[in-house]
Amino acid sequence: MSPESGERTRVVVSGMGVITPIGSDLEAFWQALLAGRSGVRRITQFDAEDLPCQIAGEVPEARRMARASQMALAAAQAAVSDAKLGLPLANPERVAVYFGTAIGGFDRAVEGVEILRAKGYAHVNPFYLPSAIPNMPAFHVTQHFGALGANCTITTACATGTQTVGEASLAIRHGRADIVIAGGTEALIRDFTIGGFASMRALPVSFNDQPDQASRPFDAKREGFVFSEGAACLVLERLDSALARGAHIYAEVAGIGTSSDAFHIAAPDPSAAGAIRTMAWALQDAQLAPDDVDYINAHGTSTPANDAVETLAIKRLFGERAYNIPVSSTKSMLGHAMGASGAIEAVVCALTIDRGMIHPTINYDYPDPVCDLDYVPNQPRKANVRVAISNSFGLGGQNACLVMRAANRFETKRGDHGDGRVEAGLG
Amino acid sequence: MTGTTRPDDQRVVITGMGAITPVGNTLAETWEALQSGRSGAGRITLLDPSPWDCQIAAELKGFEPGRFLHVKELRRMSVSSQLAVIAADQAIEDSHLDLDREDRDRVGVLLGSAGGSSLEETERAVRQLMAESGRRLTPNQVLRLWPNMPSYFVAERHRLRGHNATICTACAASTQAIGEAAEVIRRGAAEVMITGGTESIVSETVLAGFLAMRALATSYNQDPQRAMRPFDAAREGFIPAQGAAILILESLDHARQRGRTPCAEILGYGVSNDAFHMIAPDPLGSGATLAMERALASSGISADSVDYINAHAASTPLGDLAETRAIKSVFGERSYQIPINSTKSMIGHMMGATGAVEAAVCTMTIQHGIIHPTINYEVPDPECDLDYVPNCARKATVQVALSNSFGLGGQNACLVLSKVERE
């Protein structure tokens, strides 16, 4: 049952699925992360010979719908199956879908323009325009599961995935849904997106022959982020219903904070004020204090500016304790999948809490004096993580921070195995 | 929780509005035109319309962003961003909000659009790349693509550091954004929200895409102002449009503290998805029905309280019929007594921005007691037999208005607005 009256509805993660450059099976993905395996390779989706940056984190395979929609649906199928939700859904009007993407069916948008220019508009496919717009990943997931509840597509650049999972948890907390299929997806690896970001000097250009070393967050030789793609989906539900149906609970989604830097379209505010207030608001929403935080999944893009400002923000908020909190960057292995990254990193936080392991930040070879925290360099680490926060900061000054915690944090009597897990049926 | 029993810090009101539409470059001009039934449709000027089956659109008239924005800003901003920023300036001015007296950490921005500028900017980029057979875009070109940029530019201009988001749920986007913005205030995450929508979809790829879907009106190229004819038997589809509308939301408490009389209250909203088809609406309108029922439930009012419906009514054969059916299933016999109009009959369809314009229209309707007409209603469709306020504006006391928005990908959103009673 629900916690005593007066307490708010608690929201937990009971199923997860990922589609990433290092694995599209949750277990394989997690093992690859712990092993520190990079998913960055030379680009195969087009000939990148004449581009300054020729590497990316590509997902092997895909077709039919826009690439972003395919990956969203595949991740959602994996998550719903992992959650062991029966199909057809028992109460579809209470099942919501929140799926974010920074841009959406970009491949279809480009293809549409190319066909229009080359062959004339009579050759344009009726599904071109709808496939291209950002809400189609959510639609395909909704239609596949017949989820008739609330429905939302949030688009906040690189903060999208984090903000979407957070807003999805609020939909349950405020009684607008019992279950939310929530996630993020992105597929933007194109010649001109890479060309464009290269001209902004946002991408690494010295690692075309060592792709797996290109994404090196917090390292002194970091040059920029590596373009990536992928999707992740989390099944969120009420704690009481997850316990009642004996679901495995990975973690609780405890709080969300969002803000705008209102400072610069592409660069972070060097004072780190935006990142600081966002983390603080997220902890406040979770009714936790900075001292409760055991692990930070950093935005950690491997750009000189982000990693320095994020480090500063962590130091300002956590004070001396900042040096004792393990901070790792999932993007060191996956690259930056824009609107999908936050959702992937929410999955990582849930697994970190569930498994008691922190994955490394790989390619951490040359310490940068301004980035002097514990980034879990190159080796995974055992740790009892009760509270994890996940940062995402995006173009257009978007900031989002998600707080996840062990679902049994305040329950000492039942279901507490002392290892951060609440076992099936014990609620 | 019902609208009437909410404490005042949970009651969210509209205290300022701005709009740029094909019938007016301000909300006042727009409202004036809508009351007199003036259409904003015309032959397309933004591109050469001659090769197209649909040669008409509802474009902005005499809109000069350069009067409000520096040339450097214009270069950084897509048309959608320009519209959002200028409409936000209007709305802030209208609200008499003194941002210097607000905590800017507690002022947020939440806008809706179908794709923001991403379709037109992708088109521009790809066209340039194909012409020059190069692969280099400028940083500005890359950044204009992102749908969250209108929200960014509004936040940047006024240094608004609070909650910030963009909702992209196709043609339902800004209705949903306004509903969510009210929720952000209710849950205490902001004191003031700047919300609404922006869109500019008069471009070759959008024309090509909608023509391929057979969604546009194609028989009215010689008579553009008759093309948008919601609920009329000869309706064929919509025409693309451009525009933006921005609303300032705050709690009733906050408005009172600064001595501002609210324009209207946001009672609640509902969303759903048809889970039926990427393009076509569910013919029974069941998703639309769910959205309206949820909106009423979240408002704490019954269907009997609704005095007026601003319909989605995009003039498509299937959409208008499905909406009529949905209204009948929510309101029963009473649906014949509720005045229903279509703002799109005059402003065309600006996808994600239309809902925000329609929310502003509902607010004006509540304030002024006038329901604008649905124009071009000439030949009755036996299946669309409700009171669509045909062709002539009507005086009416409207306490509670409901605004529908339905979109591609089965998106449905419905917003409930009401008069704020003076005590």
Side-chain angles (χ1 to χ4, degrees):
Chain A
M1 276 313 295
S2 274
E4 314 78 273
S5 57
E7 268 191 40
R8 63 188 186 192
T9 301
R10 292 171 60 185
V11 182
V12 297
V13 180
S14 60
M16 304 193 291
V18 292
I19 305 295
T20 75
I22 59 167
S24 296
D25 163 86
L26 190 64
E27 206 51 48
F29 164 75
W30 179 240
Q31 293 309 326
L33 280 182
L34 292 181
R37 200 172 304 142
S38 168
V40 180
R41 304 272 186 280
R42 290 188 64 84
I43 289 168
T44 62
Q45 289 179 60
F46 55 88
D47 178 7
E49 270 315 314
D50 60 342
L51 286 170
C53 171
Q54 303 166 5
I55 56 179
E58 289 182 322
V59 169
E61 85 218 34
R63 216 70 2 133
R64 215 182 54 189
M65 313 162 192
R67 196 170 167 90
S69 288
Q70 296 167 29
M71 295 195 294
L73 182 54
Q77 285 173 321
V80 168
S81 144
D82 184 46
K84 301 189 172 63
L85 286 183
L87 294 176
L89 296 168
N91 196 356
E93 292 192 11
R94 297 289 297 164
V95 180
V97 174
Y98 277 52
F99 234 97
T101 178
I103 295 214
F106 194 60
D107 50 339
R108 290 305 162 97
V110 173
E111 197 180 288
V113 186
E114 286 170 349
I115 291 172
L116 171 67
R117 304 302 296 178
K119 297 185 178 168
Y121 81 84
H123 295 269
V124 171
N125 180 299
F127 291 96
Y128 137 67
L129 192 145
S131 316
I133 58 180
N135 62 314
M136 278 311 142
F139 168 74
H140 288 294
V141 171
T142 304
Q143 188 196 37
H144 183 82
F145 296 107
L148 300 175
N151 201 281
C152 195
T153 297
I154 291 169
T155 302
T156 52
C158 318
T160 296
T162 300
Q163 205 154 335
T164 299
V165 174
E167 289 285 340
S169 74
L170 295 180
I172 298 177
R173 194 196 290 172
H174 297 308
R176 291 161 62 194
D178 293 332
I179 293 175
V180 187
I181 301 171
T185 184
E186 205 73 66
L188 281 181
I189 301 175
R190 293 288 306 202
D191 47 5
F192 70 84
T193 48
I194 291 198
F197 277 100
S199 74
M200 288 168 68
R201 300 171 177 278
L203 306 183
V205 295
S206 312
F207 296 90
N208 289 329
D209 298 322
Q210 301 105 13
D212 56 347
Q213 292 172 37
S215 185
R216 37 195 323 110
F218 306 108
D219 180 272
K221 296 196 174 175
R222 67 189 185 276
E223 286 181 0
F225 73 85
V226 174
F227 246 86
S228 174
E229 59 182 359
C233 178
L234 300 89
V235 172
L236 307 185
E237 62 181 301
R238 299 163 58 104
L239 173 66
D240 55 359
S241 74
L243 290 170
R245 69 183 189 85
H248 174 68
I249 294 170
Y250 289 95
E252 176 174 356
V253 181
I256 175 75
T258 56
S259 80
S260 171
D261 268 6
F263 174 78
H264 188 274
I265 188 167
D269 178 349
S271 78
I276 295 169
R277 69 171 164 271
T278 308
M279 289 189 280
W281 290 351
L283 287 167
Q284 208 178 341
D285 184 48
Q287 300 172 335
L288 293 169
D291 276 353
D292 293 318
V293 174
D294 301 316
Y295 165 65
I296 299 173
N297 186 293
H299 185 51
T301 51
S302 181
T303 64
N306 172 80
D307 297 358
V309 169
E310 187 171 11
T311 297
L312 177 65
I314 292 170
K315 289 189 207 172
R316 288 267 163 85
L317 183 67
F318 294 94
E320 268 308 303
R321 230 192 118 240
Y323 293 89
N324 303 324
I325 307 174
V327 178
S328 68
S329 166
T330 307
K331 293 184 186 79
S332 68
M333 287 170 273
L334 297 185
H336 192 353
M338 308 281 157
S341 288
I344 294 171
E345 289 155 10
V347 167
V348 169
C349 286
L351 285 171
T352 302
I353 290 168
D354 187 56
R355 307 288 168 87
M357 290 291 291
I358 297 175
H359 77 63
T361 301
I362 67 164
N363 298 319
Y364 186 84
D365 299 326
Y366 303 96
D368 173 349
V370 300
C371 295
D372 55 352
L373 300 176
D374 171 8
Y375 303 112
V376 194
N378 307 317
Q379 295 298 324
R381 188 185 299 172
K382 263 195 168 167
N384 183 13
V385 175
R386 314 281 292 176
V387 175
I389 68 171
S390 177
N391 284 337
S392 294
F393 310 124
L395 288 171
Q398 303 280 172
N399 303 311
C401 176
L402 189 72
V403 182
M404 299 180 88
R405 69 181 175 197
N408 60 345
R409 183 173 162 81
F410 299 116
E411 290 168 355
T412 49
K413 290 194 178 109
R414 289 186 297 179
D416 190 347
H417 290 201
D419 61 355
R421 294 166 77 144
V422 173
E423 257 338 307
L426 289 175
Chain B
M1 191 168 282
T2 68
T4 46
T5 61
R6 277 188 189 122
D8 287 355
D9 64 344
Q10 294 281 304
R11 291 177 64 184
V12 176
V13 294
I14 300 167
T15 55
M17 299 186 284
I20 302 162
T21 74
V23 297
N25 290 329
T26 63
L27 181 59
E29 279 175 39
T30 299
W31 178 241
E32 190 56 44
L34 292 175
Q35 284 181 75
S36 48
R38 195 153 68 236
S39 166
R43 192 170 166 81
I44 294 174
T45 65
L46 292 168
L47 51 96
D48 172 16
S50 50
W52 301 88
D53 282 348
C54 172
Q55 303 174 353
I56 54 182
E59 297 176 345
L60 301 176
K61 319 276 185 303
F63 169 68
E64 294 167 24
R67 282 178 50 212
F68 310 97
L69 299 169
H70 190 270
V71 63
K72 265 176 85 178
E73 293 177 303
L74 291 176
R75 216 176 297 138
R76 294 162 70 207
M77 294 182 191
S78 64
V79 175
S80 304
S81 291
Q82 296 169 12
L83 290 170
V85 165
I86 297 166
D89 283 356
Q90 295 175 358
I92 292 169
E93 193 189 337
D94 182 48
S95 74
H96 298 282
L97 195 64
D98 179 358
L99 286 167
D100 288 332
R101 301 183 64 171
E102 300 294 329
D103 175 359
R104 284 179 157 85
D105 285 4
R106 302 274 296 151
V107 182
V109 181
L110 206 175
L111 303 184
S113 70
S117 39
S118 81
L119 288 176
E120 63 177 5
E121 292 294 336
T122 303
E123 173 180 330
R124 198 183 293 181
V126 174
R127 192 190 297 169
Q128 177 195 319
L129 293 169
M130 288 176 90
E132 296 174 7
S133 62
R135 297 204 257 195
R136 285 282 181 141
L137 295 180
T138 66
N140 276 340
Q141 280 177 303
V142 176
L143 292 169
R144 284 198 305 254
L145 272 169
W146 298 66
N148 61 312
M149 288 307 162
S151 293
Y152 165 70
F153 283 113
V154 171
E156 183 212 51
R157 188 171 178 87
H158 303 285
R159 304 187 307 287
L160 308 177
R161 298 179 294 249
H163 184 92
N164 193 289
T166 300
I167 287 180
C168 292
T169 49
C171 319
S174 53
T175 298
Q176 192 159 347
I178 295 167
E180 282 295 324
E183 292 296 322
V184 171
I185 293 173
R186 280 194 192 113
R187 70 180 193 238
E191 292 279 348
V192 176
M193 288 296 291
I194 297 180
T195 184
T198 181
E199 204 94 67
S200 175
I201 55 163
V202 185
S203 76
E204 291 190 354
T205 42
V206 172
L207 278 178
F210 280 125
L211 280 169
M213 289 158 60
R214 301 178 179 280
L216 302 183
T218 54
S219 309
Y220 296 90
N221 289 334
Q222 304 313 315
D223 204 357
Q225 306 213 330
R226 293 183 61 225
M228 284 301 289
R229 37 197 322 108
F231 305 111
D232 181 273
R235 69 188 184 275
E236 287 185 341
F238 62 86
I239 61 170
Q242 21 171 217
I246 300 288
L247 311 181
I248 308 297
L249 306 190
E250 57 192 296
S251 72
L252 183 56
D253 249 2
H254 190 271
R256 280 207 187 109
Q257 276 162 23
R258 65 183 192 89
R260 178 73 184 155
T261 308
C263 314
E265 177 170 358
I266 295 181
L267 284 188
Y269 97 113
V271 287
S272 73
N273 190 295
D274 283 357
F276 176 77
H277 192 272
M278 269 173 93
I279 299 173
D282 176 346
L284 300 176
S286 30
T289 302
L290 272 179
M292 284 189 269
E293 286 172 352
R294 287 172 184 164
L296 292 170
S298 90
S299 305
I301 60 170
S302 76
D304 285 346
S305 316
V306 173
D307 301 314
Y308 155 68
I309 298 172
N310 187 297
H312 176 65
S315 186
T316 64
L318 289 175
D320 295 1
L321 175 57
E323 185 170 12
T324 297
R325 286 177 177 153
I327 290 171
K328 287 180 186 173
S329 78
V330 174
F331 297 93
E333 267 308 303
R334 230 192 118 240
S335 22
Y336 292 89
Q337 270 95 57
I338 306 174
I340 299 165
N341 67 4
S342 165
T343 306
K344 293 185 188 77
S345 66
M346 291 170 272
I347 65 167
H349 194 356
M350 45 185 89
M351 290 187 86
T354 333
V357 175
E358 290 160 357
V361 166
C362 286
T363 305
M364 296 298 262
T365 304
I366 289 168
Q367 285 186 298
H368 298 278
I370 294 168
I371 299 176
H372 77 64
T374 301
I375 68 165
N376 297 318
Y377 186 84
E378 292 164 353
V379 188
D381 172 347
E383 291 191 279
C384 294
D385 55 352
L386 299 176
D387 172 8
Y388 303 113
V389 193
N391 308 316
C392 285
R394 187 187 298 171
K395 279 197 166 160
T397 303
V398 175
Q399 294 280 343
V400 175
L402 187 146
S403 180
N404 282 335
S405 295
F406 310 130
L408 289 173
Q411 303 284 170
N412 305 303
C414 175
L415 196 63
V416 182
L417 298 125
S418 83
K419 187 169 275 186
V420 184
E421 297 305 338
R422 286 165 222 272
E423 63 278 13

